[in-house]
């Protein structure tokens, strides 16, 4: 008879159960590095033994920064290696939203000269660089990229931003490798980069930076004005100060209070005059006029939206132009030219709009083939596979599908006011090629504007330096 007191064998679930605390510390850090700060806070509240691990700045917070941005920038160089990784995570999380293309809203003038409306932000070794992007004047696909704005973090954890209005400052390798940007105030203009949501930023001069970083400003205990203001509020629970003196909301509240106080208090005219005098003096010291920028969210094509994004192409005047193609909320496709604001109707001028998004697939009719083959491709004279402005027969066969343009934005231009009576003025075609690029043209013209990518994999293509001679 079997012994009933003999212990039963353990099941596979009992022998294979392993808790998180059984893993080595490096494995734990690797797993936790995939979490967000709110998730780390929630995890730390589950057990006292995990609190010290979650508070470890050199271990967990470095792992969080390295996991998210280690392949894009050099984590240990930010703030000259003296800033805490917890604070660095907060700053990089804010700066990450800048990466990509932005478009200036409204007119922008630097020293009386119109500046290009397109701006591109990218990661550097210990900073984020903002560059003005404009078409070259060499009758080619080359793009001018001129760095003018640098955002970083100081050794004490305060964000810092500097701007070169003339786009002529060259950041030395020593300065880039050190990661210390606090000494640039004598060469560049300190600015505040204020975030208004996720798709709007304001760049304005920080007139208080020089004084608040001087010995006098530090001795009287005034807080440093951050060169980057977050107007969205702290969403990640990482910490940090809010409502810093000099930030955009505080200044607006202060001005509103002073306005009503001067109107209701006895002798209000005298404070009002003093306030206007101070404002006039402050504006007289300005080296930079504030600019607003709107983010171009969909700047690359997708399988469902193959035409959207930023493109470049040679126009009728044989100069390079930038085009922004977007899919609107009512199912149409919009194309606008992103150009030089010094020319009328060119800053963000419309090119075409079509409500038809259904492509015609191959094989095409004889009429469509003749319509395409009888047109000249506007391309640089040195472009490959081109002979006197026309592409070779083999390349003409590389059209994968065709889209009809049934409405042209050129109708809003005064000299085409009566064009609606002639369908040739409003109809056109979009020819998509095998490589994913496309060209467009109108029936009223005999040419095709072929478009190419401005950037791929977060890098601008065919860049050249700005000539300052």
């Amino acid at each position: 008879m079997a012994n009933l007191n003999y212990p039963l064998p353990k099941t596979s679930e009992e022998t294979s159960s392993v808790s998180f605390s059984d893993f080595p510390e490096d494995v734990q850090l690797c797993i936790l590095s995939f979490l967000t700060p709110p998730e780390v806070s929630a995890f730390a509240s589950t057990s006292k033994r995990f609190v010290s691990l979650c508070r470890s700045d050199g271990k967990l917070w470095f792992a969080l920064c390295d996991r998210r941005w280690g392949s894009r920038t050099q984590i240990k160089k930010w703030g000259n290696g003296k800033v805490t990784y917890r604070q660095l995570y907060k700053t990089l999380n804010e700066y990450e939203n800048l990466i990509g293309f932005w478009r200036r809203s409204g007119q922008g003038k630097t020293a009386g000269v119109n500046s290009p409306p397109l701006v591109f932000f990218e990661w550097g070794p210990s900073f984020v660089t903002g560059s003005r992007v404009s078409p070259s004047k060499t009758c080619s696909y080359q793009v001018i990229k001129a760095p003018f704005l640098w955002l970083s973090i100081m050794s004490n954890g305060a964000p810092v931003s500097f701007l070169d209005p003339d786009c002529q400052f060259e950041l030395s390798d020593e300065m880039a490798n050190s990661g210390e940007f606090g000494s640039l105030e004598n060469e560049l203009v300190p600015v505040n980069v204020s975030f208004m949501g996720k798709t709007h930023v304001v760049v304005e001069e920080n007139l208080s930076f020089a004084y608040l970083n001087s010995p006098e400003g530090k001795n009287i205990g005034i807080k440093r004005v951050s060169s980057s203001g977050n107007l969205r509020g702290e969403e990640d629970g990482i910490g940090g100060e809010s409502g810093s003196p000099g930030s955009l909301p505080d200044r607006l509240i202060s001005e509103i209070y002073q306005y009503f106080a001067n109107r209701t208090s006895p002798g209000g005219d005298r404070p009002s005059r003093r306030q206007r005098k101070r404002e006039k003096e402050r504006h007289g010291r300005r080296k930079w006029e504030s600019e607003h920028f709107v983010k171009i969210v969909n700047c690359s094509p997708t399988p469902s939206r193959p035409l959207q994004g930023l493109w470049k192409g040679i126009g009728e005047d044989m100069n390079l132009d930038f085009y922004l193609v977007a899919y609107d909320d009512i199912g149409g496709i919009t194309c606008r030219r992103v150009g030089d604001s010094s020319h009328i109707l060119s800053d963000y001028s419309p090119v075409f709009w079509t409500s038809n998004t259904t492509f015609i697939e191959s094989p095409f009719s004889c009429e469509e083939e003749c319509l395409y083959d009888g047109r000249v491709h506007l391309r640089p004279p040195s472009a490959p596979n081109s002979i006197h402005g026309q592409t070779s027969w083999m390349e003409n066969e590389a059209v994968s599908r065709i889209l009809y343009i049934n409405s042209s934005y050129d109708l809003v231009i005064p000299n085409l006011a009566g064009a609606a009576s002639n369908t040739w003025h409003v109809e056109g075609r979009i020819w998509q090629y095998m490589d994913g690029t496309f060209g467009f043209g109108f029936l009223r013209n005999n040419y095709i504007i072929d478009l190419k990518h401005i950037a791929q994999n977060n890098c601008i293509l065919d860049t050249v330096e700005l000539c300052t001679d």
Side-chain angles (χ1 to χ4, degrees), residues 431-464:
W431 295 275
Q432 187 177 19
Y433 306 131
M434 292 294 184
D435 60 357
T437 62
F438 67 95
F440 71 91
F442 298 102
L443 300 186
R444 66 176 183 264
N445 301 323
N446 66 339
Y447 57 81
I448 297 174
I449 299 178
D450 288 318
L451 302 185
K452 292 182 174 292
H453 297 284
I454 293 181
Q456 280 186 337
N457 300 324
N458 297 322
C459 293
I460 299 181
L461 304 175
D462 306 320
T463 58
V464 293

Side-chain angles (χ1 to χ4, degrees), residues 19-33 50 53 60:
S19 65
F20 183 81
S21 58
D22 294 332
F23 290 115
E25 186 178 84
D26 58 337
V27 177
Q28 293 177 352
L29 292 173
C30 180
I31 296 174
L32 294 177
S33 66
F50 297 136
L53 180 64
L60 177 59

